[in-house]
Amino acid sequence: MDARLEAKLGFDKVRAAIQARCSTDYAVSRVTEEEFCTNGGEIHRRHLLTDEMRLILMFEENFPTSGYIDAIPFLEPIGKNASIDLLSLGKLRTLLTTLSKVLHFFHTVKEGIYPNLQHLCAGVIAPADVMRRIDSILDRHGEIKDTASDELYKIRKSIKEKEINVSKRMNAILRQAQQEGLADQDASVAIRDGKMLIPVSSAKKRAFQGFVYDESATGKTTFMEPAEIVALQNEISELHFAETREIARILYEFAEFLRPYVPELLAGATFIGELDFIMAKAHVALDYIAGMPVLSEDGSLRLRKARHPLLERSLRKEKKSIVPLTVTLTPEKRILLISGPNAGGKSVCLKTVGLLQYMFQWGMLIPTSETSELPVFHRIMVSIGDDQSLENDLSTYSSFLSDMKSMLAVADSKTLVLIDEFGSGTEPAAGGAIAEAILHQLDTRGAYGVITTHYTNLKLYASSADTGVVNGAMQFDAATVAPLFQLEIGLPGSSFAFELARKMGLPEPLVHDAEERAGEQFVGIERNLRKIARSRRALDEKLTKIRATDKTLEGLTDRYEKELEAIKEMRRLILDEARKEAEKIVRDANKKVENTIRTIKESQARKEETQEARADLQGFLGALAENRGKRDAYIDKKLQTVKERKEREKVRKLKRADGETLQQMEHQEAEAKKLAAFRSAPLKVGEKVRIKDNGMVGEVSTVSTKAVSVIVGNITTKLPLDRVERITANEYKAVAKAPSARPRQVYDAGISERKASFKLELDVRGERVTDALEIVMKYIDDAIMLGVPSVRILHGKGTGALREEIQKYLRTVPGVQSAQDEHVQFGGSGVTVVKLD
């Protein structure tokens, strides 16, 4: 891997674009490690995999494009006797779900449609036993089920029972204290730091059996924990410890069960990562509207309608279109020497050839016609731009000579050289002579190359018939003095230096003086080059018209020949039909005449009956004449039908031609649908997301139908699904590394306005538990974001169920310091006071 070469050609940007499309770290590392390949079979295999995935993304709606998770980092330690944590278990379920969908797709699709991808998944399985075991442990939100083990069920049941007992006992103790006058009649159980406390009058606190925990601001009320409740709370704490131990045991037991499946799971995880890598390449190929070229068998390089992908995207943003490039290098004419005016597209042409050849051998589809042919080179060498260095004492020309030395050391028939502004940077006569000598050496060694220059002696060298070098010119409109960005192979280009000087507004006397100083020979050469270019263009236009006319004539000839054959066949069929009908008519006529004669004879020539028989015969002859007219009309109708059919076929061809021009739009529409599907697909555990409100990024830990839990740094927050969006692994890393990713440093323009309108008290009385919890979630998130120190939540006393659920939720929220009942004077257990970090 040559970082300098990739940067010079622009492939580093292509590699970065592919990495940005990856969902897994495995795929990112594959993009980083994939190298320029010199094996034709391996290059073809890479192309086929990418092209098949491109077709899947375009046409297969059932193929899963999300849920690609990194599982290797936690599967490998399990294979070495490590356990598994809850988050990794959720990721494993996501991996197996995605793997099952992918395998089902390739097993049900018709054989031979995607043979290389089907071969890639051969031997990969998604163990059903593992999935069933995970489903028996985890609920749909990614939490451990109560039924994961009998012991866990008992522990959690005991915790709930004891918490209810504690609540009941606390209420009983409070009533007793009120009866004894130790507590006010309107007092309620208070909560401080998760502990349930009785508000006792400070003057009578010694009469209450318990432990002092806190005191009111006025000192009149002391919050005490009853002695008998301490023991119950200790029992609950022990049960929570037992719950944690039991969950750890369940996870360890699962890891033991999983260990024999680790090799199969690692193969599946590797397969998913490889698919993610191939899919990223296919997505970028769709972005570039790229196709799969042909591997050249005779060593020729034929790029047809090639486009520089980076330049095309840049121009697209400016609503401009790129001019496609057609380049041909053959074993006989291996080096293309491009000349022409500055800013005419010479360097773009050179870089397009270099970048597309590098992409081709890296295994990427390229933005050209799929009839393009490219050979396999063992190396690509470049001299593009200025590599001068003060530290290494290299001037511009010294740097150029250093590049030439490196090229000449290894140049052969398997080398592609790309040299921009060949020989410039020193005195023209000497520079031109050295450049010609180097060009001769490269030509003699059979190297392939694209070289740009302004030197006349190099153009003359390329004009010789006994060299492997061919001239090329970037076309220029002399009338408007503007480049056309079109390459014309076979003729050298003019620099148009004097024309450009006039266009830029230099005084005419100065330009005329410059022409005289350049000498009549130089000016004459430039003038003749322009004349030749104009003549060549005019000749090409005439040839194009002649070819179009020939094609039209060939089409007309073919059409008339086919129509003539059709008419001959129709004539034969009509004559056969007419012959059969004539024979039938003759038979019927003979029969009729015989009947008429018989009738006349039998009637003994009575006048009336004879006249009647003759009238009968006359009517029959009239019918025959009418049938002949119908036959003529039938033939005319058949001929008209043939003519109309030909016209319809012509219209269909025109429509088909128009349809082909919409191919790029269809590609873009298909990619837009895939991107929309990626964003709208259901979130899975382990995927990376961005919080829309503040731009923070995190990792999904649990997902429900209405909300998602996101790990942001060391904090887990629960958010509605519409407030987050899926992002790629690269987007996550970019935001996570930036200093601005810290939550407390993220502000928007309206944050001060939101803080001014934020209320320090929330009333959820009368709401159902589920609806109230959702309201509280959003309210607490806003309070944390705005930096509010404390808030009050009014939920009422009622049965205590709403209070219990809200406080239970608040204890799990990072950033909440405490959630406890309000002082008796201000609402007691009907109000929860939330203190925030």
Side-chain angles (χ1 to χ4, degrees), residues 480-771:
T480 61
V481 196
L484 300 175
F485 303 109
Q486 295 174 352
L487 175 66
E488 184 177 22
I489 296 178
L491 288 175
S494 169
S495 66
F496 287 90
F498 301 122
E499 287 76 2
L500 285 170
R502 289 188 175 93
K503 182 183 178 182
M504 296 304 296
L506 290 182
E508 179 58 32
L510 187 148
V511 177
H512 183 69
D513 183 39
E515 287 178 334
E516 289 182 348
R517 290 175 183 274
E520 183 60 34
Q521 182 179 1
F522 175 81
V523 175
I525 291 173
E526 289 288 304
R527 187 181 297 114
N528 288 332
L529 285 175
R530 290 195 293 275
K531 286 181 179 178
I532 292 170
R534 282 194 296 270
S535 300
R536 175 70 176 270
R537 245 187 326 270
L539 180 60
D540 287 343
E541 289 174 0
K542 289 180 181 179
L543 286 173
T544 302
K545 289 180 181 178
I546 292 170
R547 290 193 187 101
T549 304
D550 287 347
K551 192 173 181 181
T552 303
L553 288 174
E554 287 175 6
L556 287 172
T557 303
D558 291 341
R559 190 180 75 182
Y560 290 145
E561 286 178 354
K562 289 177 182 178
E563 288 183 355
L564 181 60
E565 289 295 326
I567 291 170
K568 286 180 179 178
E569 178 65 17
M570 188 181 298
R571 180 175 178 273
R572 185 184 65 77
L573 293 173
I574 292 171
L575 288 175
D576 288 345
E577 188 178 346
R579 190 177 297 109
K580 292 176 183 177
E581 190 173 351
E583 290 172 356
K584 180 176 179 299
I585 290 169
V586 169
R587 285 196 301 272
D588 292 345
N590 288 336
K591 196 179 294 183
K592 189 69 176 176
V593 170
E594 289 173 1
N595 288 337
T596 302
I597 295 172
R598 189 183 304 112
T599 300
I600 293 173
K601 285 181 177 179
E602 289 174 355
S603 63
Q604 297 179 353
R606 286 197 295 271
K607 184 176 180 182
E608 294 81 2
E609 292 184 7
T610 301
Q611 287 177 347
E612 186 178 344
R614 285 177 176 173
D616 242 356
L617 182 60
Q618 197 65 34
F620 177 73
L621 293 174
L624 288 181
E626 183 180 352
N627 284 339
R628 185 168 62 250
K630 288 182 180 179
R631 280 200 306 275
D632 292 343
Y634 172 75
I635 293 172
D636 291 340
K637 184 178 179 182
K638 283 287 185 183
L639 290 174
Q640 182 64 25
T641 301
V642 171
K643 185 177 180 182
E644 290 175 356
R645 187 186 303 122
K646 296 297 180 181
E647 290 296 327
R648 285 197 300 271
E649 182 64 26
K650 183 178 179 181
V651 171
R652 274 199 299 273
K653 286 181 180 179
L654 289 173
K655 287 183 178 178
R656 189 160 57 246
D658 290 340
E660 290 172 358
T661 62
L662 299 175
Q663 185 180 11
Q664 293 187 357
M665 292 176 64
E666 291 173 357
H667 281 312
Q668 293 171 357
E669 184 178 355
E671 177 61 10
K673 287 180 180 178
K674 293 298 177 181
L675 287 176
F678 173 76
R679 292 296 186 192
S680 61
L683 290 172
K684 297 181 177 65
V685 174
E687 290 188 323
K688 307 296 189 295
V689 295
R690 178 190 292 112
I691 301 173
K692 295 179 180 178
D693 294 342
N694 52 31
M696 290 189 289
V697 297
E699 184 175 298
V700 176
S701 60
T702 61
V703 183
S704 67
T705 54
K706 292 183 178 180
V708 57
S709 293
V710 181
I711 301 173
V712 182
N714 295 322
I715 296 175
T716 301
T717 182
K718 197 166 186 180
L719 299 166
L721 288 171
D722 60 356
R723 290 182 59 191
V724 299
E725 62 179 356
R726 179 187 285 105
I727 60 173
T728 64
N730 270 22
E731 289 177 308
Y732 171 80
K733 288 181 179 178
V735 177
K737 289 179 181 178
S740 59
R742 295 176 56 192
R744 290 297 181 184
Q745 294 178 351
V746 177
Y747 297 95
D748 59 36
I751 198 164
S752 58
E753 182 182 343
R754 291 175 65 184
K755 189 166 185 178
S757 62
F758 183 83
K759 296 181 180 179
L760 297 177
E761 192 173 273
L762 174 68
D763 190 349
V764 292
R765 288 175 295 185
E767 298 285 349
R768 298 172 64 179
V769 174
T770 54
D771 296 335

Side-chain angles (χ1 to χ4, degrees), residues 7 15 20 28 74 83 112 154 179 205 217 226 253 260 263 275 280 284 319 374 431 549 595 658 758 789 836:
R15 194 189 289 269
V28 172
F74 65 80
S83 185
K154 291 177 184 177
Q179 291 171 1
K205 65 182 178 182
E253 188 178 273
L275 271 190
V284 174
K319 297 183 179 180
L374 287 90
T549 304
N595 288 337
D658 290 340
F758 183 83
L836 306 172

Side-chain angles (χ1 to χ4, degrees), residues 337-340 346 419-424 435 451-459 471 493:
L337 186 76
I338 306 175
S339 52
K346 299 190 301 298
I419 307 174
D420 194 23
E421 300 295 344
F422 194 26
S424 63
I451 299 172
T452 69
T453 188
H454 289 287
Y455 286 140
T456 302
N457 63 313
L458 300 182
K459 301 175 191 178
N471 271 306

